[in-house]
PDB file of all heavy atoms in Angstrom:
ATOM      1  N   LEU A   1      -4.080   2.436   0.698  1.00 95.00           N
ATOM      2  CA  LEU A   1      -3.563   3.668   0.124  1.00 95.00           C
ATOM      3  C   LEU A   1      -2.284   4.042   0.860  1.00 95.00           C
ATOM      4  O   LEU A   1      -2.149   3.761   2.051  1.00 95.00           O
ATOM      5  CB  LEU A   1      -4.582   4.797   0.270  1.00 95.00           C
ATOM      6  CG  LEU A   1      -5.887   4.622  -0.483  1.00 95.00           C
ATOM      7  CD1 LEU A   1      -6.886   5.696  -0.074  1.00 95.00           C
ATOM      8  CD2 LEU A   1      -5.644   4.670  -1.978  1.00 95.00           C
ATOM      9  N   PRO A   2      -1.355   4.700   0.199  1.00 95.00           N
ATOM     10  CA  PRO A   2      -0.137   5.145   0.890  1.00 95.00           C
ATOM     11  C   PRO A   2      -0.429   6.420   1.675  1.00 95.00           C
ATOM     12  O   PRO A   2      -0.195   7.529   1.204  1.00 95.00           O
ATOM     13  CB  PRO A   2       0.843   5.393  -0.266  1.00 95.00           C
ATOM     14  CG  PRO A   2      -0.051   5.756  -1.418  1.00 95.00           C
ATOM     15  CD  PRO A   2      -1.315   4.975  -1.228  1.00 95.00           C
ATOM     16  N   THR A   3      -0.984   6.253   2.855  1.00 95.00           N
ATOM     17  CA  THR A   3      -1.409   7.387   3.675  1.00 95.00           C
ATOM     18  C   THR A   3      -1.270   7.025   5.143  1.00 95.00           C
ATOM     19  O   THR A   3      -0.778   5.959   5.492  1.00 95.00           O
ATOM     20  CB  THR A   3      -2.867   7.774   3.324  1.00 95.00           C
ATOM     21  OG1 THR A   3      -3.195   8.994   3.969  1.00 95.00           O
ATOM     22  CG2 THR A   3      -3.847   6.698   3.721  1.00 95.00           C
ATOM     23  N   SER A   4      -1.743   7.888   6.009  1.00 94.00           N
ATOM     24  CA  SER A   4      -1.677   7.668   7.443  1.00 94.00           C
ATOM     25  C   SER A   4      -2.991   7.054   7.934  1.00 94.00           C
ATOM     26  O   SER A   4      -4.066   7.456   7.497  1.00 94.00           O
ATOM     27  CB  SER A   4      -1.429   9.006   8.145  1.00 94.00           C
ATOM     28  OG  SER A   4      -1.338   8.819   9.532  1.00 94.00           O
ATOM     29  N   TYR A   5      -2.875   6.074   8.831  1.00 94.00           N
ATOM     30  CA  TYR A   5      -4.043   5.378   9.374  1.00 94.00           C
ATOM     31  C   TYR A   5      -4.064   5.517  10.890  1.00 94.00           C
ATOM     32  O   TYR A   5      -3.029   5.377  11.539  1.00 94.00           O
ATOM     33  CB  TYR A   5      -4.006   3.889   9.014  1.00 94.00           C
ATOM     34  CG  TYR A   5      -4.159   3.631   7.544  1.00 94.00           C
ATOM     35  CD1 TYR A   5      -3.047   3.555   6.711  1.00 94.00           C
ATOM     36  CD2 TYR A   5      -5.421   3.475   6.981  1.00 94.00           C
ATOM     37  CE1 TYR A   5      -3.191   3.322   5.355  1.00 94.00           C
ATOM     38  CE2 TYR A   5      -5.569   3.247   5.625  1.00 94.00           C
ATOM     39  CZ  TYR A   5      -4.458   3.171   4.817  1.00 94.00           C
ATOM     40  OH  TYR A   5      -4.603   2.950   3.478  1.00 94.00           O
ATOM     41  N   ARG A   6      -5.249   5.751  11.440  1.00 93.00           N
ATOM     42  CA  ARG A   6      -5.416   5.739  12.899  1.00 93.00           C
ATOM     43  C   ARG A   6      -5.490   4.290  13.350  1.00 93.00           C
ATOM     44  O   ARG A   6      -6.184   3.483  12.750  1.00 93.00           O
ATOM     45  CB  ARG A   6      -6.684   6.474  13.299  1.00 93.00           C
ATOM     46  CG  ARG A   6      -6.597   7.954  13.042  1.00 93.00           C
ATOM     47  CD  ARG A   6      -7.872   8.636  13.462  1.00 93.00           C
ATOM     48  NE  ARG A   6      -7.773  10.063  13.197  1.00 93.00           N
ATOM     49  CZ  ARG A   6      -8.795  10.841  12.939  1.00 93.00           C
ATOM     50  NH1 ARG A   6     -10.017  10.342  12.924  1.00 93.00           N
ATOM     51  NH2 ARG A   6      -8.621  12.125  12.717  1.00 93.00           N
ATOM     52  N   ILE A   7      -4.784   3.989  14.434  1.00 92.00           N
ATOM     53  CA  ILE A   7      -4.719   2.629  14.931  1.00 92.00           C
ATOM     54  C   ILE A   7      -5.573   2.528  16.191  1.00 92.00           C
ATOM     55  O   ILE A   7      -5.301   3.187  17.190  1.00 92.00           O
ATOM     56  CB  ILE A   7      -3.253   2.218  15.238  1.00 92.00           C
ATOM     57  CG1 ILE A   7      -2.357   2.484  14.033  1.00 92.00           C
ATOM     58  CG2 ILE A   7      -3.183   0.783  15.705  1.00 92.00           C
ATOM     59  CD1 ILE A   7      -2.764   1.790  12.759  1.00 92.00           C
ATOM     60  N   ASP A   8      -6.615   1.699  16.102  1.00 86.00           N
ATOM     61  CA  ASP A   8      -7.464   1.428  17.266  1.00 86.00           C
ATOM     62  C   ASP A   8      -6.970   0.153  17.937  1.00 86.00           C
ATOM     63  O   ASP A   8      -6.100  -0.547  17.419  1.00 86.00           O
ATOM     64  CB  ASP A   8      -8.927   1.258  16.837  1.00 86.00           C
ATOM     65  CG  ASP A   8      -9.533   2.569  16.335  1.00 86.00           C
ATOM     66  OD1 ASP A   8      -9.069   3.634  16.777  1.00 86.00           O
ATOM     67  OD2 ASP A   8     -10.451   2.507  15.503  1.00 86.00           O
ATOM     68  N   LYS A   9      -7.594  -0.179  19.061  1.00 82.00           N
ATOM     69  CA  LYS A   9      -7.201  -1.377  19.815  1.00 82.00           C
ATOM     70  C   LYS A   9      -7.201  -2.631  18.943  1.00 82.00           C
ATOM     71  O   LYS A   9      -6.261  -3.406  18.955  1.00 82.00           O
ATOM     72  CB  LYS A   9      -8.155  -1.592  20.990  1.00 82.00           C
ATOM     73  CG  LYS A   9      -8.126  -0.507  22.016  1.00 82.00           C
ATOM     74  CD  LYS A   9      -9.193  -0.739  23.062  1.00 82.00           C
ATOM     75  CE  LYS A   9      -9.362   0.499  23.918  1.00 82.00           C
ATOM     76  NZ  LYS A   9     -10.500   0.409  24.811  1.00 82.00           N
ATOM     77  N   ASN A  10      -8.285  -2.848  18.224  1.00 83.00           N
ATOM     78  CA  ASN A  10      -8.436  -4.075  17.450  1.00 83.00           C
ATOM     79  C   ASN A  10      -8.318  -3.852  15.952  1.00 83.00           C
ATOM     80  O   ASN A  10      -8.653  -4.750  15.176  1.00 83.00           O
ATOM     81  CB  ASN A  10      -9.795  -4.710  17.752  1.00 83.00           C
ATOM     82  CG  ASN A  10      -9.943  -5.049  19.218  1.00 83.00           C
ATOM     83  OD1 ASN A  10      -8.980  -5.457  19.857  1.00 83.00           O
ATOM     84  ND2 ASN A  10     -11.125  -4.856  19.750  1.00 83.00           N
ATOM     85  N   ASP A  11      -7.903  -2.678  15.524  1.00 88.00           N
ATOM     86  CA  ASP A  11      -7.910  -2.381  14.101  1.00 88.00           C
ATOM     87  C   ASP A  11      -6.611  -1.689  13.684  1.00 88.00           C
ATOM     88  O   ASP A  11      -6.399  -0.521  13.996  1.00 88.00           O
ATOM     89  CB  ASP A  11      -9.111  -1.495  13.763  1.00 88.00           C
ATOM     90  CG  ASP A  11      -9.248  -1.266  12.267  1.00 88.00           C
ATOM     91  OD1 ASP A  11      -8.834  -2.145  11.490  1.00 88.00           O
ATOM     92  OD2 ASP A  11      -9.768  -0.207  11.885  1.00 88.00           O
ATOM     93  N   ASP A  12      -5.766  -2.437  12.984  1.00 91.00           N
ATOM     94  CA  ASP A  12      -4.532  -1.903  12.427  1.00 91.00           C
ATOM     95  C   ASP A  12      -4.496  -2.281  10.949  1.00 91.00           C
ATOM     96  O   ASP A  12      -4.118  -3.398  10.602  1.00 91.00           O
ATOM     97  CB  ASP A  12      -3.321  -2.472  13.156  1.00 91.00           C
ATOM     98  CG  ASP A  12      -2.006  -1.955  12.598  1.00 91.00           C
ATOM     99  OD1 ASP A  12      -2.024  -1.206  11.587  1.00 91.00           O
ATOM    100  OD2 ASP A  12      -0.952  -2.304  13.157  1.00 91.00           O
ATOM    101  N   PRO A  13      -4.928  -1.375  10.067  1.00 92.00           N
ATOM    102  CA  PRO A  13      -4.987  -1.700   8.643  1.00 92.00           C
ATOM    103  C   PRO A  13      -3.639  -2.089   8.047  1.00 92.00           C
ATOM    104  O   PRO A  13      -3.589  -2.805   7.051  1.00 92.00           O
ATOM    105  CB  PRO A  13      -5.489  -0.406   7.992  1.00 92.00           C
ATOM    106  CG  PRO A  13      -6.089   0.375   9.086  1.00 92.00           C
ATOM    107  CD  PRO A  13      -5.396  -0.025  10.339  1.00 92.00           C
ATOM    108  N   THR A  14      -2.546  -1.681   8.657  1.00 93.00           N
ATOM    109  CA  THR A  14      -1.221  -1.956   8.094  1.00 93.00           C
ATOM    110  C   THR A  14      -0.661  -3.316   8.512  1.00 93.00           C
ATOM    111  O   THR A  14       0.395  -3.705   8.021  1.00 93.00           O
ATOM    112  CB  THR A  14      -0.225  -0.868   8.532  1.00 93.00           C
ATOM    113  OG1 THR A  14      -0.036  -0.939   9.953  1.00 93.00           O
ATOM    114  CG2 THR A  14      -0.707   0.514   8.146  1.00 93.00           C
ATOM    115  N   LYS A  15      -1.345  -4.042   9.381  1.00 91.00           N
ATOM    116  CA  LYS A  15      -0.774  -5.277   9.945  1.00 91.00           C
ATOM    117  C   LYS A  15      -0.517  -6.360   8.898  1.00 91.00           C
ATOM    118  O   LYS A  15       0.388  -7.160   9.056  1.00 91.00           O
ATOM    119  CB  LYS A  15      -1.646  -5.810  11.079  1.00 91.00           C
ATOM    120  CG  LYS A  15      -2.951  -6.419  10.625  1.00 91.00           C
ATOM    121  CD  LYS A  15      -3.744  -6.997  11.801  1.00 91.00           C
ATOM    122  CE  LYS A  15      -5.031  -7.598  11.299  1.00 91.00           C
ATOM    123  NZ  LYS A  15      -6.185  -6.803  11.486  1.00 91.00           N
ATOM    124  N   ASP A  16      -1.299  -6.411   7.824  1.00 90.00           N
ATOM    125  CA  ASP A  16      -1.131  -7.447   6.804  1.00 90.00           C
ATOM    126  C   ASP A  16      -0.183  -7.034   5.672  1.00 90.00           C
ATOM    127  O   ASP A  16       0.157  -7.855   4.827  1.00 90.00           O
ATOM    128  CB  ASP A  16      -2.486  -7.825   6.190  1.00 90.00           C
ATOM    129  CG  ASP A  16      -3.409  -8.455   7.217  1.00 90.00           C
ATOM    130  OD1 ASP A  16      -2.911  -9.146   8.123  1.00 90.00           O
ATOM    131  OD2 ASP A  16      -4.633  -8.247   7.117  1.00 90.00           O
ATOM    132  N   LEU A  17       0.225  -5.788   5.647  1.00 94.00           N
ATOM    133  CA  LEU A  17       1.082  -5.284   4.582  1.00 94.00           C
ATOM    134  C   LEU A  17       2.455  -5.949   4.651  1.00 94.00           C
ATOM    135  O   LEU A  17       3.074  -5.990   5.711  1.00 94.00           O
ATOM    136  CB  LEU A  17       1.215  -3.766   4.690  1.00 94.00           C
ATOM    137  CG  LEU A  17       1.991  -3.042   3.607  1.00 94.00           C
ATOM    138  CD1 LEU A  17       1.362  -3.272   2.239  1.00 94.00           C
ATOM    139  CD2 LEU A  17       2.034  -1.554   3.911  1.00 94.00           C
ATOM    140  N   SER A  18       2.901  -6.492   3.506  1.00 93.00           N
ATOM    141  CA  SER A  18       4.204  -7.153   3.467  1.00 93.00           C
ATOM    142  C   SER A  18       4.873  -6.867   2.122  1.00 93.00           C
ATOM    143  O   SER A  18       4.281  -6.274   1.226  1.00 93.00           O
ATOM    144  CB  SER A  18       4.046  -8.666   3.660  1.00 93.00           C
ATOM    145  OG  SER A  18       3.488  -9.247   2.502  1.00 93.00           O
ATOM    146  N   LYS A  19       6.093  -7.336   1.982  1.00 93.00           N
ATOM    147  CA  LYS A  19       6.853  -7.158   0.733  1.00 93.00           C
ATOM    148  C   LYS A  19       6.270  -7.997  -0.408  1.00 93.00           C
ATOM    149  O   LYS A  19       6.669  -7.846  -1.557  1.00 93.00           O
ATOM    150  CB  LYS A  19       8.331  -7.515   0.941  1.00 93.00           C
ATOM    151  CG  LYS A  19       9.006  -6.696   2.030  1.00 93.00           C
ATOM    152  CD  LYS A  19       9.132  -5.240   1.659  1.00 93.00           C
ATOM    153  CE  LYS A  19       9.856  -4.492   2.767  1.00 93.00           C
ATOM    154  NZ  LYS A  19       9.846  -3.070   2.600  1.00 93.00           N
ATOM    155  N   ASP A  20       5.329  -8.891  -0.106  1.00 94.00           N
ATOM    156  CA  ASP A  20       4.669  -9.689  -1.146  1.00 94.00           C
ATOM    157  C   ASP A  20       3.567  -8.905  -1.853  1.00 94.00           C
ATOM    158  O   ASP A  20       3.034  -9.357  -2.862  1.00 94.00           O
ATOM    159  CB  ASP A  20       4.057 -10.963  -0.541  1.00 94.00           C
ATOM    160  CG  ASP A  20       5.130 -11.919  -0.051  1.00 94.00           C
ATOM    161  OD1 ASP A  20       6.243 -11.918  -0.613  1.00 94.00           O
ATOM    162  OD2 ASP A  20       4.855 -12.670   0.905  1.00 94.00           O
ATOM    163  N   TRP A  21       3.188  -7.763  -1.309  1.00 96.00           N
ATOM    164  CA  TRP A  21       2.159  -6.932  -1.937  1.00 96.00           C
ATOM    165  C   TRP A  21       2.731  -6.275  -3.185  1.00 96.00           C
ATOM    166  O   TRP A  21       3.942  -6.213  -3.376  1.00 96.00           O
ATOM    167  CB  TRP A  21       1.695  -5.853  -0.949  1.00 96.00           C
ATOM    168  CG  TRP A  21       0.752  -6.350   0.117  1.00 96.00           C
ATOM    169  CD1 TRP A  21       0.891  -7.476   0.874  1.00 96.00           C
ATOM    170  CD2 TRP A  21      -0.437  -5.722   0.548  1.00 96.00           C
ATOM    171  NE1 TRP A  21      -0.149  -7.582   1.754  1.00 96.00           N
ATOM    172  CE2 TRP A  21      -0.980  -6.514   1.578  1.00 96.00           C
ATOM    173  CE3 TRP A  21      -1.106  -4.564   0.187  1.00 96.00           C
ATOM    174  CZ2 TRP A  21      -2.160  -6.186   2.231  1.00 96.00           C
ATOM    175  CZ3 TRP A  21      -2.278  -4.235   0.835  1.00 96.00           C
ATOM    176  CH2 TRP A  21      -2.800  -5.049   1.843  1.00 96.00           C
ATOM    177  N   PHE A  22       1.824  -5.740  -4.010  1.00 96.00           N
ATOM    178  CA  PHE A  22       2.231  -5.024  -5.217  1.00 96.00           C
ATOM    179  C   PHE A  22       1.988  -3.537  -5.062  1.00 96.00           C
ATOM    180  O   PHE A  22       1.078  -3.113  -4.353  1.00 96.00           O
ATOM    181  CB  PHE A  22       1.446  -5.540  -6.436  1.00 96.00           C
ATOM    182  CG  PHE A  22       1.893  -6.893  -6.893  1.00 96.00           C
ATOM    183  CD1 PHE A  22       1.334  -8.037  -6.351  1.00 96.00           C
ATOM    184  CD2 PHE A  22       2.872  -7.020  -7.857  1.00 96.00           C
ATOM    185  CE1 PHE A  22       1.742  -9.290  -6.766  1.00 96.00           C
ATOM    186  CE2 PHE A  22       3.291  -8.275  -8.282  1.00 96.00           C
ATOM    187  CZ  PHE A  22       2.720  -9.411  -7.733  1.00 96.00           C
ATOM    188  N   ASP A  23       2.811  -2.760  -5.737  1.00 96.00           N
ATOM    189  CA  ASP A  23       2.718  -1.303  -5.750  1.00 96.00           C
ATOM    190  C   ASP A  23       2.255  -0.881  -7.141  1.00 96.00           C
ATOM    191  O   ASP A  23       2.946  -1.138  -8.127  1.00 96.00           O
ATOM    192  CB  ASP A  23       4.101  -0.729  -5.440  1.00 96.00           C
ATOM    193  CG  ASP A  23       4.126   0.790  -5.333  1.00 96.00           C
ATOM    194  OD1 ASP A  23       3.130   1.439  -5.718  1.00 96.00           O
ATOM    195  OD2 ASP A  23       5.142   1.325  -4.876  1.00 96.00           O
ATOM    196  N   LEU A  24       1.076  -0.292  -7.228  1.00 96.00           N
ATOM    197  CA  LEU A  24       0.587   0.277  -8.482  1.00 96.00           C
ATOM    198  C   LEU A  24       0.965   1.751  -8.451  1.00 96.00           C
ATOM    199  O   LEU A  24       0.520   2.489  -7.570  1.00 96.00           O
ATOM    200  CB  LEU A  24      -0.922   0.113  -8.605  1.00 96.00           C
ATOM    201  CG  LEU A  24      -1.565   0.787  -9.819  1.00 96.00           C
ATOM    202  CD1 LEU A  24      -1.091   0.139 -11.112  1.00 96.00           C
ATOM    203  CD2 LEU A  24      -3.082   0.736  -9.714  1.00 96.00           C
ATOM    204  N   PHE A  25       1.812   2.166  -9.397  1.00 96.00           N
ATOM    205  CA  PHE A  25       2.291   3.543  -9.373  1.00 96.00           C
ATOM    206  C   PHE A  25       2.308   4.140 -10.772  1.00 96.00           C
ATOM    207  O   PHE A  25       2.274   3.427 -11.774  1.00 96.00           O
ATOM    208  CB  PHE A  25       3.683   3.637  -8.729  1.00 96.00           C
ATOM    209  CG  PHE A  25       4.766   2.917  -9.479  1.00 96.00           C
ATOM    210  CD1 PHE A  25       5.573   3.604 -10.372  1.00 96.00           C
ATOM    211  CD2 PHE A  25       4.983   1.561  -9.280  1.00 96.00           C
ATOM    212  CE1 PHE A  25       6.579   2.948 -11.059  1.00 96.00           C
ATOM    213  CE2 PHE A  25       5.988   0.900  -9.972  1.00 96.00           C
ATOM    214  CZ  PHE A  25       6.787   1.588 -10.861  1.00 96.00           C
ATOM    215  N   GLU A  26       2.370   5.474 -10.812  1.00 95.00           N
ATOM    216  CA  GLU A  26       2.397   6.229 -12.065  1.00 95.00           C
ATOM    217  C   GLU A  26       3.786   6.820 -12.242  1.00 95.00           C
ATOM    218  O   GLU A  26       4.386   7.334 -11.304  1.00 95.00           O
ATOM    219  CB  GLU A  26       1.341   7.340 -12.025  1.00 95.00           C
ATOM    220  CG  GLU A  26       1.198   8.112 -13.319  1.00 95.00           C
ATOM    221  CD  GLU A  26       2.070   9.346 -13.393  1.00 95.00           C
ATOM    222  OE1 GLU A  26       2.441   9.878 -12.333  1.00 95.00           O
ATOM    223  OE2 GLU A  26       2.385   9.778 -14.511  1.00 95.00           O
ATOM    224  N   LYS A  27       4.301   6.707 -13.478  1.00 95.00           N
ATOM    225  CA  LYS A  27       5.595   7.295 -13.799  1.00 95.00           C
ATOM    226  C   LYS A  27       5.548   7.769 -15.246  1.00 95.00           C
ATOM    227  O   LYS A  27       5.282   6.977 -16.147  1.00 95.00           O
ATOM    228  CB  LYS A  27       6.716   6.258 -13.621  1.00 95.00           C
ATOM    229  CG  LYS A  27       8.094   6.781 -13.930  1.00 95.00           C
ATOM    230  CD  LYS A  27       9.138   5.710 -13.726  1.00 95.00           C
ATOM    231  CE  LYS A  27      10.497   6.232 -14.114  1.00 95.00           C
ATOM    232  NZ  LYS A  27      11.511   5.178 -14.029  1.00 95.00           N
ATOM    233  N   ASP A  28       5.756   9.052 -15.442  1.00 93.00           N
ATOM    234  CA  ASP A  28       5.780   9.657 -16.777  1.00 93.00           C
ATOM    235  C   ASP A  28       4.520   9.363 -17.587  1.00 93.00           C
ATOM    236  O   ASP A  28       4.579   9.073 -18.780  1.00 93.00           O
ATOM    237  CB  ASP A  28       7.016   9.209 -17.569  1.00 93.00           C
ATOM    238  CG  ASP A  28       8.319   9.592 -16.884  1.00 93.00           C
ATOM    239  OD1 ASP A  28       8.351  10.671 -16.262  1.00 93.00           O
ATOM    240  OD2 ASP A  28       9.290   8.819 -16.971  1.00 93.00           O
ATOM    241  N   GLY A  29       3.359   9.396 -16.920  1.00 90.00           N
ATOM    242  CA  GLY A  29       2.084   9.192 -17.606  1.00 90.00           C
ATOM    243  C   GLY A  29       1.708   7.748 -17.850  1.00 90.00           C
ATOM    244  O   GLY A  29       0.660   7.466 -18.408  1.00 90.00           O
ATOM    245  N   SER A  30       2.550   6.809 -17.441  1.00 93.00           N
ATOM    246  CA  SER A  30       2.242   5.388 -17.582  1.00 93.00           C
ATOM    247  C   SER A  30       2.113   4.765 -16.196  1.00 93.00           C
ATOM    248  O   SER A  30       2.590   5.320 -15.204  1.00 93.00           O
ATOM    249  CB  SER A  30       3.348   4.668 -18.355  1.00 93.00           C
ATOM    250  OG  SER A  30       3.414   5.156 -19.674  1.00 93.00           O
ATOM    251  N   TYR A  31       1.473   3.597 -16.142  1.00 95.00           N
ATOM    252  CA  TYR A  31       1.242   2.917 -14.869  1.00 95.00           C
ATOM    253  C   TYR A  31       1.992   1.597 -14.860  1.00 95.00           C
ATOM    254  O   TYR A  31       2.087   0.902 -15.873  1.00 95.00           O
ATOM    255  CB  TYR A  31      -0.257   2.684 -14.664  1.00 95.00           C
ATOM    256  CG  TYR A  31      -0.997   3.987 -14.572  1.00 95.00           C
ATOM    257  CD1 TYR A  31      -1.526   4.588 -15.704  1.00 95.00           C
ATOM    258  CD2 TYR A  31      -1.146   4.626 -13.355  1.00 95.00           C
ATOM    259  CE1 TYR A  31      -2.190   5.800 -15.626  1.00 95.00           C
ATOM    260  CE2 TYR A  31      -1.812   5.835 -13.267  1.00 95.00           C
ATOM    261  CZ  TYR A  31      -2.321   6.419 -14.405  1.00 95.00           C
ATOM    262  OH  TYR A  31      -2.969   7.620 -14.323  1.00 95.00           O
ATOM    263  N   TYR A  32       2.508   1.246 -13.662  1.00 96.00           N
ATOM    264  CA  TYR A  32       3.321   0.060 -13.511  1.00 96.00           C
ATOM    265  C   TYR A  32       2.955  -0.673 -12.229  1.00 96.00           C
ATOM    266  O   TYR A  32       2.476  -0.069 -11.268  1.00 96.00           O
ATOM    267  CB  TYR A  32       4.810   0.443 -13.435  1.00 96.00           C
ATOM    268  CG  TYR A  32       5.307   1.159 -14.659  1.00 96.00           C
ATOM    269  CD1 TYR A  32       5.227   2.542 -14.751  1.00 96.00           C
ATOM    270  CD2 TYR A  32       5.849   0.452 -15.729  1.00 96.00           C
ATOM    271  CE1 TYR A  32       5.670   3.201 -15.891  1.00 96.00           C
ATOM    272  CE2 TYR A  32       6.303   1.105 -16.866  1.00 96.00           C
ATOM    273  CZ  TYR A  32       6.201   2.480 -16.934  1.00 96.00           C
ATOM    274  OH  TYR A  32       6.640   3.122 -18.059  1.00 96.00           O
ATOM    275  N   LEU A  33       3.228  -1.981 -12.235  1.00 96.00           N
ATOM    276  CA  LEU A  33       3.115  -2.816 -11.049  1.00 96.00           C
ATOM    277  C   LEU A  33       4.492  -3.361 -10.716  1.00 96.00           C
ATOM    278  O   LEU A  33       5.194  -3.870 -11.598  1.00 96.00           O
ATOM    279  CB  LEU A  33       2.183  -4.002 -11.306  1.00 96.00           C
ATOM    280  CG  LEU A  33       0.703  -3.785 -11.096  1.00 96.00           C
ATOM    281  CD1 LEU A  33      -0.078  -4.979 -11.612  1.00 96.00           C
ATOM    282  CD2 LEU A  33       0.375  -3.526  -9.651  1.00 96.00           C
ATOM    283  N   GLU A  34       4.874  -3.228  -9.459  1.00 96.00           N
ATOM    284  CA  GLU A  34       6.119  -3.809  -8.964  1.00 96.00           C
ATOM    285  C   GLU A  34       5.853  -4.311  -7.557  1.00 96.00           C
ATOM    286  O   GLU A  34       4.872  -3.924  -6.925  1.00 96.00           O
ATOM    287  CB  GLU A  34       7.235  -2.761  -8.915  1.00 96.00           C
ATOM    288  CG  GLU A  34       7.780  -2.380 -10.259  1.00 96.00           C
ATOM    289  CD  GLU A  34       8.956  -1.401 -10.170  1.00 96.00           C
ATOM    290  OE1 GLU A  34       9.382  -1.055  -9.043  1.00 96.00           O
ATOM    291  OE2 GLU A  34       9.442  -0.983 -11.227  1.00 96.00           O
ATOM    292  N   LYS A  35       6.746  -5.159  -7.079  1.00 95.00           N
ATOM    293  CA  LYS A  35       6.641  -5.574  -5.686  1.00 95.00           C
ATOM    294  C   LYS A  35       6.783  -4.327  -4.805  1.00 95.00           C
ATOM    295  O   LYS A  35       7.559  -3.429  -5.102  1.00 95.00           O
ATOM    296  CB  LYS A  35       7.731  -6.597  -5.331  1.00 95.00           C
ATOM    297  CG  LYS A  35       7.465  -7.970  -5.907  1.00 95.00           C
ATOM    298  CD  LYS A  35       6.279  -8.626  -5.229  1.00 95.00           C
ATOM    299  CE  LYS A  35       6.106 -10.053  -5.675  1.00 95.00           C
ATOM    300  NZ  LYS A  35       5.070 -10.738  -4.930  1.00 95.00           N
TER     301      LYS A  35
END
């Protein structure tokens, strides 16, 4: 989710996030997928 995450010693949920992921977003009542 596009939110804030607490980072523990062994747990960083954002570590795998890259530009290869997709963004599912809403615009004007419709939904789209983009890099």
Side-chain angles (χ1 to χ4, degrees):
L1 296 171
T3 189
S4 181
Y5 293 91
R6 292 180 180 152
I7 308 302
D8 292 333
K9 296 174 192 172
N10 300 323
D11 186 29
D12 179 356
T14 66
K15 72 177 180 259
D16 296 327
L17 184 60
S18 72
K19 302 293 182 189
D20 292 331
W21 283 46
F22 286 88
D23 184 348
L24 175 66
F25 64 96
E26 185 268 336
K27 180 180 177 185
D28 300 325
S30 296
Y31 297 91
Y32 300 89
L33 274 171
E34 287 184 3
K35 286 291 187 174

